Amino acid sequence: MKIAIFVSGRGSNLEAILKARKQGLLTSDFIVISNNPKAKALHIAQTYNVEHYAFEPKPKKIFEEKVLLLLKEKHIDYIVLAGFMAILSKEFVKEYEKRIINIHPSLLPSFPGIDVHKRAIERGVKFSGCTVHFVNEHVDEGCIIAQAITSISYDDDEESLAKKILNLEHKLLPQVISWLEQDRIYIKDGKAHIKDEKNGSTFNPDIEVFNE
Ligand code: GRF
């Protein structure tokens, strides 16, 4: 399988994916695409000897045209948004319908968008986490594939919560990519399900695995 990872900044999720690849837990060929030529993530791609490309983000139409050309040229099967800080156009999403996944640092549908940890703490929720979902034309609204949770304690602040959730992200995203590689994710009645590895029946990922 050929997967393009879209990044914009720090790249810690990218690193978790490339580490999993190095350890043999993932088998895909990856390329990295950034809309920020200065993204630290590009150095991570370089360190892992992964092909990487950066395009100026504006105008968005030109950015997307260049990216689509590259994706076709490289025969990309799936796109993983790993800290990609731009909203893809409806037309772009249509080209890769049900083949784009995103990681979001909250338990969707709670707290879509930005400033999620601040809003979670202000709202006083007791649990938060991260969500991997398919991307559709609405931001953070595509079908949910998997989630991982953590509790929020009274002394957590934005920074400590972000750290806890980032640790979960680094486990959940490679896990979902591995399910994609094994063709175990399917959508039925508008919901994503994971097939059981052994007998093909629907499997309920054990969220305890990710609980911290
Ligand atoms: C992560 O929290 C991810 O959920 C969000 O953006 C952040 C990216 O972090 N979409 P990194 O660039 O992977 O370190």
Side-chain angles (χ1 to χ4, degrees):
M1 189 171 280
K2 293 208 72 177
I3 299 182
I5 306 173
F6 285 21
V7 293
S8 300
R10 178 179 54 187
S12 69
N13 276 289
L14 170 68
E15 187 157 25
I17 296 166
L18 298 181
K19 254 189 203 153
R21 172 79 180 86
K22 202 170 170 189
Q23 290 164 356
L25 301 171
L26 296 175
T27 55
S28 296
D29 285 336
F30 294 103
I31 68 166
V32 172
I33 298 177
S34 177
N35 62 348
N36 170 14
K38 294 199 178 115
K40 194 174 154 234
L42 292 168
H43 296 286
I44 295 173
Q46 182 149 25
T47 309
Y48 282 82
N49 264 322
V50 170
E51 267 180 64
H52 50 284
Y53 303 84
F55 301 103
E56 285 301 331
K58 286 184 184 159
K60 185 168 164 172
K61 198 168 170 347
I62 308 286
F63 169 80
E64 290 192 346
E65 274 170 18
K66 286 186 182 162
V67 171
L68 276 175
L69 265 181
L70 179 65
L71 296 175
K72 304 277 173 208
E73 186 192 311
K74 298 285 175 187
H75 306 287
I76 294 299
D77 301 300
Y78 279 96
I79 297 170
V80 175
L81 308 184
F84 182 66
M85 306 310 278
I87 296 170
L88 294 168
S89 71
K90 211 163 73 191
E91 295 71 28
F92 188 104
V93 171
K94 186 111 197 108
E95 284 280 330
Y96 280 83
E97 206 174 3
K98 312 242 167 42
R99 292 194 292 147
I100 310 177
I101 64 168
N102 178 46
I103 182 139
H104 180 77
S106 78
L107 294 175
L108 291 172
S110 291
F111 308 116
I114 57 169
D115 288 337
V116 293
H117 306 311
K118 183 166 177 273
R119 285 153 59 211
I121 285 176
E122 277 171 6
R123 193 64 187 82
V125 294
K126 307 301 177 221
F127 293 93
S128 191
C130 55
T131 302
V132 178
H133 63 94
F134 282 110
V135 171
N136 68 9
E137 69 274 29
H138 305 293
V139 176
D140 298 331
E141 282 189 20
C143 333
I144 292 171
I145 301 170
Q147 295 182 306
I149 62 172
T150 184
S151 51
I152 302 181
S153 56
Y154 72 97
D155 57 352
D156 267 322
D157 57 15
E158 245 184 275
E159 200 184 320
S160 63
L161 180 59
K163 202 168 159 203
K164 282 194 208 172
I165 292 179
L166 200 61
N167 276 332
L168 296 175
E169 293 184 41
H170 296 163
K171 295 178 194 163
L172 191 67
L173 190 53
Q175 171 68 82
V176 172
I177 295 173
S178 145
W179 289 332
L180 281 179
E181 288 179 343
Q182 298 167 53
D183 197 20
R184 287 175 59 190
I185 303 177
Y186 67 98
I187 298 176
K188 195 175 163 222
D189 302 330
K191 288 187 213 163
H193 303 271
I194 320 295
K195 277 184 243 166
D196 187 281
E197 200 170 10
K198 297 176 195 75
N199 58 24
S201 63
T202 302
F203 142 89
N204 223 343
D206 183 358
I207 56 170
E208 292 302 323
V209 170
F210 302 112
N211 198 4
E212 295 206 330

